[in-house]
Each structure stands twice: as structure tokens, then as C-alpha cells.
Amino acid sequence: MEKINVIIGWSGNNYAAHAQGDELNGVVVATHKTLEGVKSEFESALQFHIEGCMKDGDLLPEWLSSGNYKLDYELEVPALLHSLDGVLTRSAIARVSGINAKLIGHYASGHRTPRPQQRKKIIDGIHEISRELASVV
């Protein structure tokens, strides 16, 4: 089964998802106010794109036209932080990641873009919090 890498970002008020590549024969995009909503909208947009390509006679890989693929979602840091609103505070993420809470806020708003090492610290911190929560009996 092939994987299609879908990048999900935050565009101020909405999540925005996109994927592109030669195998897709173009770019597929979708937006929505919720994370689950943007995933659902992306799946619909991809199916619409595939059907349109097939109708136009465009060449697509067999795995794509037959639906033998998996969508692999990757959240950019602003989308990741917004997806946790109401679940984790930014100060909790700052505490476990070692990144200043104000800088976490800048990442969430898109005013700053974290380096890959900073993104890893944020994700590792979120995983640490989840392990701590999972250990509670």
C-alpha cells in the first residue's frame, strides 16, 4: 500500500491540508475549522481529483486509481498546537519541552517557524505528557 503525505497547517482561522506530487498529477487542497473536518474534506477533495483525472484520461498510478493508498497526515507546529487547544495548555507544553511559553505562542500564531529540533522538542514533550497521563490509575 502506497502512502500519500498530507501536510496540515493552520491558516489563522482554519486548518489547511495539501498534498502534491507527480503521482497525484497535481495538487490537492482542503480547508476546515476542525482537524477532523479538514481530514474529511481532504479525502473528499482527493477522491474528486482522482475521478476528474480518470474522466479526463490522465494517467494515474494503478494504486491511486484503485484506492490502494493510505493518507499519512503530518501537522505543522501551528496546526499541532491548535489541535491541542482545550486539551493541553501551552504553558504545560512549554514546561515539558523546555521552550519558553511566549515562543510556543509565536509558533502557534505562525509569527515564528520552529527549527526541526524545536518541533521535535514540542512533540517529545507532548508524548511525555501522554505517558504521564497514561500512567495514572
Side-chain angles (χ1 to χ4, degrees):
M1 180 171 285
E2 297 290 328
K3 288 185 181 180
I4 298 173
N5 191 36
V6 181
I7 306 298
I8 298 179
W10 180 254
S11 63
N13 293 319
N14 290 318
Y15 292 95
H18 72 278
Q20 65 185 46
D22 293 337
E23 68 277 357
L24 294 180
N25 192 31
V27 178
V28 180
V29 298
T31 65
H32 200 274
K33 292 208 174 286
T34 67
L35 183 56
E36 289 307 313
V38 77
K39 289 178 180 181
S40 176
E41 289 293 322
F42 183 85
E43 291 170 18
S44 296
L46 178 59
Q47 189 59 44
F48 180 78
H49 176 74
I50 292 168
E51 290 169 3
C53 286
M54 291 170 57
K55 181 178 178 184
D56 292 345
D58 296 335
L59 293 177
L60 294 175
E62 189 278 326
W63 59 265
L64 185 60
S65 58
S66 69
N68 191 23
Y69 59 84
K70 178 183 183 228
L71 299 177
D72 189 23
Y73 293 103
E74 179 183 328
L75 277 68
E76 293 177 339
V77 172
L80 173 65
L81 293 171
H82 281 280
S83 74
L84 297 171
D85 284 348
V87 176
L88 290 177
T89 64
R90 300 215 173 115
S91 59
I93 296 169
R95 187 173 57 252
V96 296
S97 67
I99 299 171
N100 179 291
K102 189 171 184 177
L103 187 54
I104 295 282
H106 287 300
Y107 292 158
S109 68
H111 289 3
R112 297 262 174 108
T113 302
R115 296 183 315 270
Q117 308 101 299
Q118 294 292 83
R119 182 181 192 278
K120 182 173 179 353
K121 284 183 180 181
I122 291 169
I123 291 172
D124 289 348
I126 292 167
H127 289 168
E128 181 180 328
I129 292 170
S130 69
R131 283 190 299 274
E132 289 178 21
L133 291 172
S135 72
V136 174
V137 289

